[in-house]
Amino acid sequence: MPPEAPSLKILKIGGSVLTDRSVERPRVRRALLARLAAEIAAAWRAGGFRLLLIHGAGSFGHPIVRRTGIERGLANESHRIAFAETQRLQSVLNGIVVRALLREGLPAFPFQASANAVLERGEIRSFSLEAVAGLLSWGLVPVLNGVPAVDVERGCSILSGDVLAGHLAARLGAVELLHGTDVRGIYSADPATDPAARFLPQIDLRAGGVLPTGIGGSTATDVTGGMRKKLEELGKTKARCQVFDATFVGNVRRALSGGIVGTLVVCD
């Protein structure tokens, strides 16, 4: 039997970090991915914690979903082709991420979330934990990604990485849920469009806590709700949560090692 498991941390890296979201075709930011893989592996080796990774789809998913509308369901043959093609593209991205992590000596294991999840009207109806929990118990690092998945009402809905991260954090009892984005953290408004936007070092989402009204979605092509949806999902967990800039050198390693490098989100 495996030994008693140490605490679990979940790291979600956004698709806007790993891919070039300014283009309509799949493109990985390979130099950045290589550096992030090295930081993750270094923190994991030194940290004494179990780790589960989730990454976004970025340019491997959002453009095709937005173009075809499959997030609203399957209505015809072209939708079914797009559903399958989106899964193929995101499996390619997941393989690229896993390969980068393996090169750094991390026992990363590709895990297809859409083969484990059933949605109903866009919400998770079921997600079996047995396989992912088993991988964690034996010292592997499951690597999942947001992806379109089977919906019993619509045929297809989007299982976003943010929803997946919050769902697994709550059910697996993660002590930390870290969201690596391409901005410093959370702002009072979108800093890309509002020069008066203020950085928020902490947000309290405990009973009675409300989100600032200026926090909205993403300025890039995004079918999963952007920053507001991310915070709504964080609020459902009891983990110590943080939203930070994963593109800044050293931030991923520092966040995994317990440092505050962005916005601390108090959930419990």
Side-chain angles (χ1 to χ4, degrees):
M1 296 290 293
E4 183 177 349
S7 60
L8 172 66
K9 298 185 180 186
I10 295 178
L11 172 64
K12 195 269 180 169
I13 299 290
S16 59
V17 175
L18 298 175
T19 75
D20 185 349
R21 289 275 295 276
S22 69
V23 297
E24 287 292 307
R25 61 184 180 83
R27 180 186 295 170
V28 178
R29 301 170 74 180
R30 291 184 181 271
L32 179 54
L33 171 58
R35 177 171 61 75
L36 294 178
E39 290 190 26
I40 293 168
W44 181 80
R45 283 192 293 269
F49 54 84
R50 292 176 298 151
L51 178 62
L52 186 148
L53 293 176
I54 299 171
H55 64 83
S59 60
F60 282 72
H62 292 278
I64 186 174
V65 173
R66 178 73 74 186
R67 189 168 62 248
T68 61
I70 60 170
E71 79 277 12
R72 297 186 296 274
L74 304 178
N76 51 50
E77 183 63 19
S78 66
H79 285 167
R80 289 187 281 274
I81 293 294
F83 184 16
E85 173 65 1
T86 305
Q87 175 64 72
R88 185 194 70 80
L89 286 171
Q90 294 183 12
S91 294
V92 170
L93 177 59
N94 187 253
I96 293 171
V97 172
V98 168
R99 185 179 183 186
L101 293 165
L102 287 170
R103 284 174 171 166
E104 293 296 330
L106 194 78
F109 190 96
F111 193 99
Q112 185 177 323
S114 59
N116 224 40
V118 176
L119 310 182
E120 184 170 3
R121 296 185 179 181
E123 302 293 329
I124 297 177
R125 187 169 98 168
S126 65
F127 191 102
S128 174
L129 295 179
E130 187 174 3
V132 69
L135 291 168
L136 287 166
S137 72
W138 287 99
L140 284 99
V141 178
V143 183
L144 295 75
N145 59 286
V147 69
V150 169
D151 188 300
V152 296
E153 293 287 337
R154 304 171 182 168
C156 170
S157 288
I158 303 301
L159 174 58
S160 79
D162 291 343
V163 169
L164 189 57
H167 182 81
L168 293 179
R171 292 189 65 199
L172 292 170
V175 297
E176 283 192 279
L177 174 50
L178 306 168
H179 275 274
T181 69
D182 60 350
V183 293
R184 181 182 175 189
I186 301 169
Y187 288 76
S188 58
D190 186 348
T193 59
D194 186 348
R198 294 177 294 102
F199 171 71
L200 304 175
Q202 181 170 311
I203 290 181
D204 191 339
L205 295 183
R206 290 173 293 186
V210 295
L211 298 179
T213 56
I215 298 176
S218 170
T219 55
T221 301
D222 194 324
V223 295
T224 56
M227 188 64 77
R228 177 164 288 274
K229 179 64 174 176
K230 192 186 308 295
L231 286 172
E232 289 171 353
E233 295 303 320
L234 289 179
K236 299 175 184 178
T237 76
K238 294 184 178 181
R240 179 177 185 262
C241 301
Q242 186 178 175
V243 179
F244 66 99
D245 185 355
T247 69
F248 190 86
V249 176
N251 267 2
V252 166
R253 182 172 183 175
R254 285 189 286 270
L256 282 171
S257 301
I260 302 300
V261 294
T263 300
L264 181 67
V265 183
V266 182
C267 301
D268 184 46

